[in-house]
Amino acid sequence: MKSRLNHLPNGLRVATREMPHATTVSIGVWVNAGARDETVKEQGIAHMLEHMAFKGTKRRDAKTIATEVENVGGFMNAHTSREETAYYLRLLPEHIDLGIDILTDILTESTLPDVELERERGVIIQEIGQSLDTPDDLVFDLFAKACYDNHNLGRSILGTVESVSNFQRTDLSGFMNRFYGAGQMFVVASGAIRHDDIVSRIEASLGFLSDAETAKRLLPAWSAGRQIITRDLEQSHIVFGLPTKAATANDRFALMTLSTLYGGGMSSRLFQQVREQRGLCYSIFSFASLYSDSGVFSVYAGTSASQVNEMLIVAAEELASIAQSVHPNEVTRAKAQLRASLLMSRESVSNCGDALARQIMLFGAPQDDAMLLAAIDDVDGDAVRDMAAHLISGNRPALACVGPPTKIIDNHD
């Protein structure tokens, strides 16, 4: 399986991954604009626009869009992140023309009808309320603010009740006109497709698109803040972390190996020490949130209020211990998990499409699987130790907590 990329004359990129064993197709349009590209008054507008894209065009109303896709057994969805918005479908190969037509329609002919805007405004306000009522969702939004304070990366993707309540049709069309153009968008298809055929079809349907404004992003400063909300809950939900490098950094594979070794599975140090040996929590894991210009290495845990500080101390001690020494078997096991995860993901047309889209977004071109596997293989114990040492050298952690009242130890305690 090989990924290919073409640039159309108008600047629109078309990337594909042909999968001979596949019997379905995943196709989508990715926009290089998300929540971090909003102005203060636009908080949540990228997410609302994602919702509104399916609510009516000059040729289809919202029900027709949904019905046409499901009439052929297809699946349609979208998502908004801090740096991207994506619209995608999964279909049988014989319905690829329908999929391309609907994507073209919702992204170039959306009418953003007022009645649907009011209805979806209410839906999103309910979504914000649900997030506020769900501690293991809320804590991640609080953590983003703890990391970046008032920078765009510190805001909720959903926006606020106030901002969402004030959006007008012209606000949504303004954001779309600013960023939804050929230079900021690309099409990704994977599965039972042929590259040249997809390129030809996309040029016929989207070759007329004009260019768009390139997102101008301000480099975030690390805030090392604390965001704590007291709730009458059985558990404290905690996320804490440290700044790391961007998603394009050469040593990102050492970071991935570290995260897997430290908190990526049942054999990881966090799981073994915090849960199995001490019984301090049911769920604990580490993860990296990497952006085009920055990143965060983090840990989530749910534990009782009385055990929060012991859990934090053990987690910190384990990361410091990795900075001193790692056993070769740990590194080998973590790399095996990463290799297997990558190869298993390549069996899914949707996962292949998502991975290819992220590669185009970050690197401008597909990344060869053999190269990725070789980069994982090249990671050794020294690289993992160096990465852990880099994380803990000189930066105070950011922390967020939702749960019962408790005095959480200071960053330097």
Side-chain angles (χ1 to χ4, degrees):
M1 296 184 295
K2 185 176 181 180
S3 300
R4 296 175 62 187
L5 172 67
N6 270 52
H7 289 73
L8 300 186
N10 66 342
L12 184 69
R13 290 163 290 176
V14 183
T16 67
R17 187 179 180 95
E18 298 181 22
M19 303 169 66
H21 66 281
T23 57
T24 63
V25 173
S26 175
I27 186 164
V29 177
W30 268 255
V31 185
N32 188 19
R36 75 173 295 181
D37 304 305
E38 301 163 344
T39 65
V40 173
K41 291 183 179 179
E42 290 177 333
Q43 292 181 63
I45 203 165
H47 174 253
M48 178 172 254
L49 189 55
E50 169 221 313
H51 279 234
M52 287 298 298
F54 298 107
K55 297 304 177 180
T57 70
K58 294 177 181 178
R59 293 190 285 127
R60 298 175 171 98
D61 60 18
K63 184 177 180 180
T64 301
I65 293 171
T67 301
E68 286 190 19
V69 173
E70 294 181 359
N71 277 348
V72 297
F75 169 81
M76 175 177 61
N77 208 343
H79 71 253
T80 307
S81 73
R82 287 184 161 81
E83 294 194 328
E84 69 183 47
T85 312
Y87 305 84
Y88 42 90
L89 296 94
R90 187 168 180 182
L91 304 146
L92 298 179
E94 57 264 35
H95 304 303
I96 188 66
D97 281 335
L98 173 65
I100 292 173
D101 185 57
I102 286 180
L103 285 171
T104 300
D105 202 20
I106 66 175
L107 292 173
T108 65
E109 301 290 347
S110 182
T111 54
L112 306 172
D114 289 333
V115 63
E116 293 289 353
L117 176 58
E118 290 307 314
R119 184 178 294 121
E120 212 58 29
R121 190 194 312 278
V123 169
I124 293 173
I125 288 173
Q126 292 295 323
E127 188 177 358
I128 293 171
Q130 179 176 304
S131 176
L132 293 174
D133 285 344
T134 308
D136 49 352
D137 286 345
L138 174 59
V139 73
F140 285 97
D141 277 344
L142 292 174
F143 180 65
K145 183 168 180 57
C147 293
Y148 298 118
D149 197 19
N150 291 321
H151 187 277
N152 287 25
L153 288 176
R155 301 173 185 164
S156 169
I157 292 171
L158 300 180
T160 67
V161 171
E162 180 181 7
S163 64
V164 171
S165 298
N166 289 324
F167 290 151
Q168 300 301 314
R169 183 177 178 276
T170 52
D171 299 317
L172 274 72
S173 61
F175 189 87
M176 178 176 269
N177 291 337
R178 215 156 73 228
F179 295 118
Y180 280 49
Q184 286 287 96
M185 298 167 67
F186 54 92
V187 178
V188 171
S190 56
I193 49 95
R194 290 183 297 109
H195 176 79
D196 292 339
D197 178 63
I198 292 294
V199 171
S200 175
R201 293 170 189 266
I202 295 301
E203 185 165 14
S205 60
L206 290 171
F208 68 91
L209 275 180
S210 58
D211 207 349
E213 185 177 314
T214 300
K216 299 177 179 64
R217 292 169 177 167
L218 181 66
L219 185 70
W222 182 252
S223 296
R226 283 191 166 203
Q227 294 289 323
I228 298 173
I229 290 183
T230 299
R231 292 275 178 89
D232 183 17
L233 301 171
E234 292 296 321
Q235 276 200 319
S236 293
H237 298 266
I238 297 180
V239 182
F240 56 95
L242 292 159
T244 189
K245 301 176 185 179
T248 54
N250 290 333
D251 54 2
R252 65 189 181 277
F253 299 99
L255 179 68
M256 293 160 57
T257 306
L258 168 64
S259 183
T260 304
L261 183 156
Y262 177 59
M266 295 175 65
S267 64
S268 69
R269 290 202 184 187
L270 283 182
F271 193 92
Q272 287 297 313
Q273 287 296 322
V274 178
R275 174 176 161 155
E276 297 295 276
Q277 298 297 321
R278 302 169 191 259
L280 296 177
C281 64
Y282 173 75
S283 176
I284 186 167
F285 56 86
S286 62
F287 60 99
S289 302
L290 303 181
Y291 306 113
S292 57
D293 57 3
S294 54
V296 189
F297 180 76
S298 314
V299 173
Y300 165 84
T303 187
S304 63
S306 63
Q307 295 176 309
V308 166
N309 290 327
E310 184 180 359
M311 181 273 297
L312 290 172
I313 291 170
V314 174
E317 289 175 346
E318 285 303 318
L319 187 57
S321 174
I322 293 172
Q324 295 299 315
S325 66
V326 289
H327 195 282
N329 288 349
E330 290 183 289
V331 178
T332 299
R333 182 166 59 245
K335 288 161 55 174
Q337 289 176 262
L338 291 173
R339 286 178 56 85
S341 177
L342 187 150
L343 292 172
M344 290 176 184
S345 72
R346 296 303 189 252
E347 295 180 354
S348 161
V349 295
S350 297
N351 288 343
C352 279
D354 290 345
L356 181 55
R358 185 157 178 77
Q359 290 167 6
I360 301 299
M361 188 79 72
L362 292 171
F363 301 98
Q367 303 291 286
D368 181 67
D369 283 351
M371 182 202 73
L372 298 176
L373 292 170
I376 293 170
D377 286 341
D378 286 343
V379 176
D380 58 18
D382 288 341
V384 174
R385 285 195 301 271
D386 289 347
M387 180 58 67
H390 169 75
L391 287 170
I392 63 177
S393 62
N395 289 302
R396 297 181 64 181
L399 181 145
C401 179
V402 179
T406 186
K407 186 179 186 304
I408 299 176
I409 56 174
D410 185 76
N411 291 343
H412 290 317
D413 287 352

